Amino acid sequence: MRRTPPKSARDYAPIVYPGIMLVVFFVIPFATMIAVSFFKRNQGAFYTPDFVLDNYARFLTAFFGGVLAFSLFLAIMVAVVCLVVGFPFTFFLVRLKRRAQILWLLSLLSVLSLSEVIIGFAWSTLLSRTAGITNLFVALGLMDRPEALLPGFGAVLTGMVYQALPYTILVLYPSLARLDWSLLEAARTMGASPVKAFFNVVVPVSRNTIVATLIMVFVFALGSYLLPQILGRPRQWTLSVLITDQAIYQSNMPFAAAMAVFLVLIALALVGLTTLIGRREAEA
Amino acid sequence: MSGLVLSEVRKHFGPVHAVEDVSLSVPNGTFVCMLGPSGCGKTTLLRMIAGLEEPTGGSILLDGRDITAVPTHRRELGMVFQSLALFPHLDVTGNIAYAMTIRGVGTAEKKRRVGELLEMVHMAGYGDRSVAQLSGGQRQRVAIARALAVQPKLFLLDEPLSALDAKLREAMQVELRQLQERLGITTIVVTHDQREAMTMADQVVVMGGGRIRQAASPVEIYRHPADAFVADFIGSTNLIPLAVENGTATAFGKPLPGIAAPARDGQMLSVRPEDIILAPAGEGALTGTVAFVRDLGATIETFIDIGGHRLVAASSPRDRPAVNVGDETGLSFHAGNAVVVTA
Amino acid sequence: MNDFSDRKIDRRTVLGTALAAGAALAMPAVARGADRSLKVGAYGGFFKKSFDENVFPVFTKETGIKVESVGEPTGEAWLVQLEQAAKAGQAPADVSMMAQVPMLKGMESKLWTPLDMKKIPNSKNVLDRFINKDPNGDVAGIGAVAWYITLVSNTKVFPTAPTSWAAFWEPDKKDKLGLLALVSNSFLLEVTAKTFLGGTNVLDTEDGILKAFKKLAEVKPNVRLWYRDEAQFEQALKSGEIPMGQYYHDVTGIAISKGFPVRSTFPKEGGIEDSGSWAVSHASKKVDEAHEFINFMCQPKIQDLVCRKNGTAPTVKRELLDLSDKEFAAVSSSIEPIIPRYAMYQKRSDWLDQKWTELIVG
């Protein structure tokens, strides 16, 4: 690796391509969004370039605060549930025979090919009264009559976890596949049951992976706007749903942009806080 | 009986028979080394004793109790892994105290015991270090202290010293043996290093092809190897093809007086290099040509070709043999130093 | 078809052929470019498919103008796209079918080219309420199709048809309704005003609107689904999962014809009549062709065709149409419709949106 600082333009060549990509796909769109968030909304038409704070002012109300809080809560719940389900799953997956692992990973990848719309409709059918799983429970004698399990918080959470779980497992997989199994065996020789060893060795050793996974799923879930609509009641509509409404149905781009900027900032702040706490603990 | 008893323990991985019908008694307080080339089944056997592998057949008894089906965490053992398996998320104290934490030992008692253990492995004052900050030898000591924290009934070590350099390894071998003697704990070490085994063990178990070839004291194994495999694996030896004609043992067509062997095929005579005595050409039981002489300082090795075989004689510098490459030389050995083995 | 347009087509055909032949001799590559064409935006999905199959080929046959149809997203997304493109001098479609609120918004931002009514003689056939005039009196759009949002219900769950929008408020409908999710596409304020507050005029004032909101809030516990996606509700309505709600009369008609146990009712207060208008982006360079297209669409026989094939209601006067009473009843109703207060959505857009969102989300 070179140690001398780059001197000529040529020395910067290796970072030109990633630099351009970053500018084209992140800096320009995000800067545009920030700029639009300060534009003046012309009701009944579009917007004019300006510098006004109205869009942010409209957002800073108890109503949108509540929606934001729910969106963050939902994203955190999705991340936590995905981890609670995905971590043990991946832990067992990496111990399977290679052929079985490939089969599992392929089927997980195939779930990724499903669009949010398909996932939403599939779950709305699965949780419905007329064609859903409760009919199966009735047939098995577990329930008296079929019931609708949607719309509601549980349905939204289920759909979003289903959507995010393959990502969770694919992110956890490489790290758990590299896990030193002798750590677990060492814990067992010292009197820890497999479950105890899992919690006080495997989990803490994988802490960085866990934090990274939580952040990824959290950010992923924060952007979800179709599943809350399809599977939830209005109370479960996230900020992303309202942003979409403003952008698509109200053509209120400045307000949509302001909400989006706010959402990104809050998400970044939470991610920063999480990594900061993670580092503190690692040092402690 | 008290101690560890293995009877007809087997482990098959599909078509592979990793361990086959192993029976062994280890009295309490014994230091046992399981020795063998890689793939001989010694690690698998150790892992079955630890409960980390389930035997395909046979039983394992500890102090008269059948522990074959007892899960690892209830076997009351301490184990040092080849990778050491120190917990990276815990400091030295945390690692050593782990077994006590699991058992719910009180903080004060835990602290006292960790201090004691650190003292024992000469690492007092290192308690709050991160394991990443330690040298190889220090990590080794932490792993040993950790395994001994709750005074286990069995102390198992899987190639514990293989990551250390030669000098440190020898020092640790001595240290480990002294520690074991002090604690009187039943100890089983898996190693592929016969010097290590000779240094530490009360009893050496030589394994090959999934079976025990010989289990005996180091001197016994060295002096009276049970078969050619053991003879060859323990130290270096000369394996001389043996023929028995009319009740007389011969090698390379020459009679070997004093060697008694039954009339059987595939027998060999194991003679240690230091037991071969060089003689002037024409004297001695056998005659060969000097192929190479190696002066190692402490010993001088003379390589002699006889009838397509190469034998080695080791002498001390005081009795430096007066031979040169290409010379004819005679050689002999005392019958009592030669062991008849089968292949 | 009248004589006038016949002659016109003849002349253009001759001229076009001569021109094309001349051009082909000189520059074969340009010859294809000289073909007259028009990009027409229609709502993606059923509308676009139906127009592609039944209407555009007739237009091309009659005028020689090729139609390239563009599927529009619903809502105001298309307006946003047209607006952005126009700023760059581009027109993703020359003529677009626009809903009424985006139509007004486009007028406000001067997105539309004022239409020259002299070039659209057939516009005299169109009902007055379907001519979009801006405050200066310029015509920005002309009604393309109309459709009704009616009270729909599952016949298995509700054997008797409801007769009034008031059915939504009845306690036995708890958690059984599917309603449109946005203030600007559900028109439930108008429904509330007409059903309970004596007419939509009450929505002229903020007080009146708040009154309507208050009455509408009572319906909230009965709503199971606030939908943006039509397919989502249609599926649930057919299966009886959500047995009642508001939905498009034409699409419900298709479901009935396929044997699903659903019905569409024009309540005694009237169905909600919404419509789409043809409008031309000012970035379009095909203004002549666009006028020709709109004129073509205003012919009663084309309106007949669209009503029959598309299931939508006509925008031209009933007496000019060739539709039988039965055919007319399938797409429309003689009950006075509830006309949405489009201007209200334009003027109070953000306030209404905020109140509405707070009502249903809060």
Side-chain angles (χ1 to χ4, degrees), chain C residues 183-251:
Chain C
V183 67
S184 54
N185 70 3
S186 68
F187 307 115
L188 286 168
L189 286 174
E190 287 87 338
V191 169
T192 311
K194 185 89 177 268
T195 309
F196 294 102
L197 306 172
T200 56
N201 285 342
V202 74
L203 301 176
D204 284 344
T205 64
E206 200 173 296
D207 265 4
I209 296 172
L210 287 174
K211 250 186 231 161
F213 266 124
K214 204 171 159 220
K215 182 68 192 169
L216 188 56
E218 293 170 14
V219 93
K220 224 178 110 177
N222 289 355
V223 184
R224 173 85 176 280
L225 174 72
W226 294 93
Y227 67 93
R228 290 173 184 73
D229 189 291
E230 293 163 24
Q232 202 186 343
F233 174 57
E234 190 177 325
Q235 181 54 38
L237 177 70
K238 286 173 181 170
S239 69
E241 184 87 19
I242 303 173
M244 188 178 271
Q246 57 170 176
Y247 201 51
Y248 298 95
H249 180 64
D250 47 332
V251 192

Side-chain angles (χ1 to χ4, degrees), chain B residues 17-343:
Chain B
H17 294 193
V19 172
E20 196 63 80
D21 289 331
V22 164
S23 296
L24 180 73
S25 287
V26 182
N28 277 341
T30 316
F31 196 127
V32 174
C33 273
M34 301 221 251
L35 184 63
S38 56
C40 71
K42 59 191 191 295
T43 294
T44 307
L45 186 61
L46 187 79
R47 289 173 61 80
M48 285 193 284
I49 295 169
L52 298 171
E53 301 282 357
E54 201 186 334
T56 311
S59 60
I60 301 171
L61 278 80
L62 184 61
D63 291 344
R65 187 168 76 109
D66 189 340
I67 59 164
T68 318
V70 174
T72 302
H73 60 279
R74 298 213 195 96
R75 288 195 183 188
E76 292 176 77
L77 38 88
M79 184 159 172
V80 174
F81 289 77
Q82 186 168 10
S83 68
L84 301 185
L86 295 179
F87 300 138
H89 63 289
L90 297 175
D91 60 9
V92 170
T93 300
N95 267 282
I96 295 177
Y98 184 85
M100 291 182 271
T101 309
I102 291 292
R103 284 164 178 76
V105 173
T107 320
E109 167 64 10
K110 221 155 65 175
K111 202 176 159 201
R112 189 194 61 77
R113 178 77 180 133
V114 169
E116 208 174 271
L117 287 158
L118 282 173
E119 194 84 39
M120 181 184 84
V121 294
H122 314 297
M123 282 194 60
Y126 281 84
D128 49 8
R129 292 279 180 97
S130 141
V131 292
Q133 291 172 302
L134 303 179
S135 71
Q138 290 169 332
R139 292 160 65 84
Q140 192 71 55
R141 290 185 162 92
V142 172
I144 291 168
R146 185 178 75 167
L148 294 172
V150 287
Q151 283 146 335
K153 284 188 180 166
L154 269 181
F155 184 29
L156 310 176
L157 302 95
D158 183 10
E159 304 264 7
L161 309 176
S162 59
L164 304 182
D165 62 60
K167 208 163 176 186
L168 190 55
R169 190 158 63 223
E170 297 210 355
M172 284 300 294
Q173 285 164 5
V174 174
E175 211 173 291
L176 198 56
R177 173 71 220 206
Q178 288 172 338
L179 184 67
Q180 188 270 342
E181 279 177 343
R182 206 160 70 232
L183 299 175
I185 185 171
T186 312
T187 302
I188 302 176
V189 176
V190 157
T191 180
H192 63 274
D193 179 345
Q194 50 101 3
R195 280 179 64 90
E196 193 164 297
M198 305 296 270
T199 311
M200 302 191 292
D202 294 318
Q203 193 180 27
V204 173
V205 176
V206 183
M207 290 189 69
R211 291 172 187 278
I212 292 182
R213 297 306 188 103
Q214 189 172 12
S217 70
V219 176
E220 176 73 9
I221 294 231
Y222 191 81
R223 281 285 141 216
H224 302 287
D227 57 20
F229 176 85
V230 177
D232 194 36
F233 192 76
I234 302 293
S236 53
T237 198
N238 293 299
L239 290 173
I240 301 165
L242 202 63
V244 181
E245 290 161 17
N246 309 322
T248 310
T250 63
F252 307 113
K254 299 257 179 81
L256 298 172
I259 303 293
R264 226 188 323 177
D265 281 345
Q267 296 185 105
M268 284 191 277
L269 202 59
S270 168
V271 187
R272 298 285 175 193
E274 63 269 25
D275 291 330
I276 290 186
I277 305 153
L278 295 185
E283 294 178 25
L286 302 168
T287 305
T289 313
V290 176
F292 185 67
V293 178
R294 183 160 76 163
D295 192 338
L296 294 170
T299 51
I300 293 152
E301 294 178 352
T302 309
F303 295 78
I304 300 147
D305 286 347
I306 305 177
H309 278 257
R310 177 163 288 182
L311 306 184
V312 187
S315 0
S316 78
R318 248 165 286 149
D319 329 303
R320 181 180 296 275
V323 289
N324 294 311
V325 173
D327 289 353
E328 286 260 306
T329 181
L331 48 91
S332 63
F333 45 83
H334 296 296
N337 290 338
V339 182
V340 178
V341 294
T342 45

Side-chain angles (χ1 to χ4, degrees), chain A residues 234-269:
Chain A
R235 227 168 301 131
Q236 280 98 42
W237 290 351
T238 56
L239 199 57
S240 296
V241 175
L242 299 191
I243 291 172
T244 314
D245 277 355
Q246 289 301 326
I248 306 278
Y249 297 100
Q250 293 290 316
S251 42
N252 191 347
M253 286 301 173
F255 186 43
M259 286 200 279
V261 168
F262 212 92
L263 191 60
V264 170
L265 290 182
I266 294 282
L268 281 179

Side-chain angles (χ1 to χ4, degrees), chain A residues 188-247:
Chain A
R188 286 170 59 201
T189 61
M190 282 183 278
S193 66
V195 175
K196 258 189 188 167
F198 177 82
F199 281 109
N200 57 30
V201 175
V202 179
V203 171
V205 162
S206 312
R207 213 200 47 199
N208 286 344
T209 313
I210 289 172
V211 171
T213 310
L214 281 175
I215 289 174
M216 193 216 66
V217 180
F218 168 75
V219 171
F220 179 79
L222 210 51
S224 182
Y225 70 95
L226 274 173
L227 294 178
Q229 286 176 50
I230 298 175
L231 302 172
R233 290 185 185 276
R235 227 168 301 131
Q236 280 98 42
W237 290 351
T238 56
L239 199 57
S240 296
V241 175
L242 299 191
I243 291 172
T244 314
D245 277 355
Q246 289 301 326

Side-chain angles (χ1 to χ4, degrees), chain A residues 41 43 129-130 246 251, chain C residues 76 228 241 347 350 353:
Chain A
R41 152 83 158 161
Q43 194 161 257
R129 177 181 57 82
T130 44
Q246 289 301 326
S251 42
Chain C
E76 294 194 359
R228 290 173 184 73
E241 184 87 19
K347 238 178 273 156
D350 290 349
D353 167 62

